Amino acid sequence: MPERPPLKSVTLLKEIMGRYYAGAEEAKASGRPVVWMTAVSPVEIVVAMGLFPYYPENFGTLVASKKLTHEYSHEAEAAGFFPDLCGYARAGLGDWLREEHPAGRLVPPDVVVCCNAQCHSLPKWFEVSARWHSAPYFLLDTPLITEETQKEAVDYFHEQLLELIRFLEAATGRRFSLNRLVETMDLANRACRLWKEILEMAALRPAPFSFFDACIHMGPIVTWRGRELAVEYYRRLKAELEECVARGEYPVPEEKYRLYWDHIVIWPRIRWLSEFFARHQALVACSQYTHAWAREFDLTRPLESLAETYAREFVNHSFERRVEFKLALMRRFRVDGFILFSNRSCKPCSLGLYDKRRLLMERAGIPGIVLETDMADLRYFNETQVAERLEMLFEQLEGGQRT
Ligand code: SF4
């Protein structure tokens, strides 16, 4: 079977992401308010109000992919920020403090909106940045979800959405329209459905698409969600992948193993990782990280549905529920093993991973490892150690080890 050539959609992806960054600069220049948003927050409200949503975490991935996080971090550390802070935060803080901007600049906010469903690094990073830029700051607070029907948590979030709308109207002078919100959520639904269909193609055997592809192509579902451009992009990407299947072209043509990767990829070493797994004839098929954007809103109850969706972000659940989410994906994609990523940058996703590993091995009956490194900062990446740890997993898989 032929190896799949690089996807042509990458050219369009670069164009779209370029438009996003240029769009932020244009918005700033023309007086259209730039709203800093966390990746998992109800951007649909901001889009519906005609504001420009801007994602500093995405800037963090850009700096990391260019292998520059440690350089940006030097400025942040010199200003007193701790090197154990999330690498995205150090990149963002460092960018404001440094004079050179080889990754382009982080566009200053007019308004800052932070949702703490993901972690507690973002609220502090955004709060400091709001202070530096004299921008009004709104924190969407999200209680931990321990049960599916935790109504009071969703009600609490819903009330804050109403407050957020009043805050944005007051801060920007723009009016909110429920009809416009429903249109935006409809576009978000269409892009999210296509994204889900694309991710689910990795369940085919062999698969035309891997987790590493998903990491590269997830930019538009984050930055352009709620707009036609994201729908169009994923329509084209899906069509290209269908053509790959028709031609029999796959990233790992002779798939021997399928694996689950937990959470974020190691951005500066994505190519190295993808080649490493391909050499072992292993397809990394799925991850909760990329599936988190496969959302579906109920357009008949827009604000309630936004509250339910964003309060229930996968990382904002109890330990047991998160284990079960991982297990469900592992079963659906019929993986042979798993990698849990203890990410020095991301404390909430790294907590309790050795216990999770034990539980997942018991319940799924497959081997798994914990990889300890960083998603962004190469000072904490040791290629030999990472390769040795991954080789351990392949030895277990070669030996047919079931737990
Ligand atoms: S990587 Fe983790 S710590 Fe950093 S912003 Fe994302 S969720 Fe927060």
Side-chain angles (χ1 to χ4, degrees), residues 57 86 88 118-119 121-122 263-264 343 345-348 375:
E57 288 154 85
C86 169
Y88 294 164
Q118 283 166 261
C119 69
S121 304
L122 283 163
H263 207 227
I264 302 181
N343 181 356
S345 275
C346 191
K347 280 60 174 179
M375 65 179 185

Side-chain angles (χ1 to χ4, degrees), residues 134-258:
S134 304
Y137 175 64
F138 191 95
L139 176 68
L140 270 164
D141 183 37
T142 325
L144 189 76
I145 302 291
T146 52
E147 296 164 31
E148 185 58 40
T149 52
Q150 204 168 323
K151 191 172 174 312
E152 65 283 3
V154 174
D155 289 348
Y156 172 60
F157 199 87
H158 180 210
E159 275 177 32
Q160 292 177 77
L161 290 185
L162 301 175
E163 244 181 88
L164 172 66
I165 291 167
R166 289 194 293 272
F167 164 84
L168 288 171
E169 287 188 331
T172 66
R174 307 267 173 140
R175 304 303 302 166
F176 171 77
S177 143
L178 196 61
N179 288 343
R180 186 76 192 97
L181 177 67
V182 172
E183 285 165 23
T184 306
M185 289 171 72
D186 182 37
L187 285 169
N189 268 352
R190 284 159 57 198
C192 287
R193 262 180 234 134
L194 285 161
W195 178 241
K196 187 171 182 194
E197 285 162 14
I198 288 166
L199 293 178
E200 297 291 319
M201 286 170 103
L204 298 170
R205 195 159 193 157
F209 191 75
S210 76
F211 164 65
F212 300 114
D213 293 313
C215 289
I216 291 167
H217 291 272
M218 69 188 287
I221 199 69
V222 179
T223 56
W224 286 103
R225 193 166 72 255
R227 275 147 302 168
E228 187 61 47
L229 197 56
V231 181
E232 184 51 31
Y233 179 70
Y234 289 114
R235 199 181 287 134
R236 289 217 219 166
L237 178 60
K238 185 171 172 238
E240 186 179 4
L241 291 169
E242 284 165 350
E243 284 166 21
C244 291
V245 174
R247 287 195 297 267
E249 295 170 349
Y250 306 100
V252 183
E254 305 297 331
E255 253 182 50
K256 203 165 155 195
Y257 304 115
R258 305 171 67 75

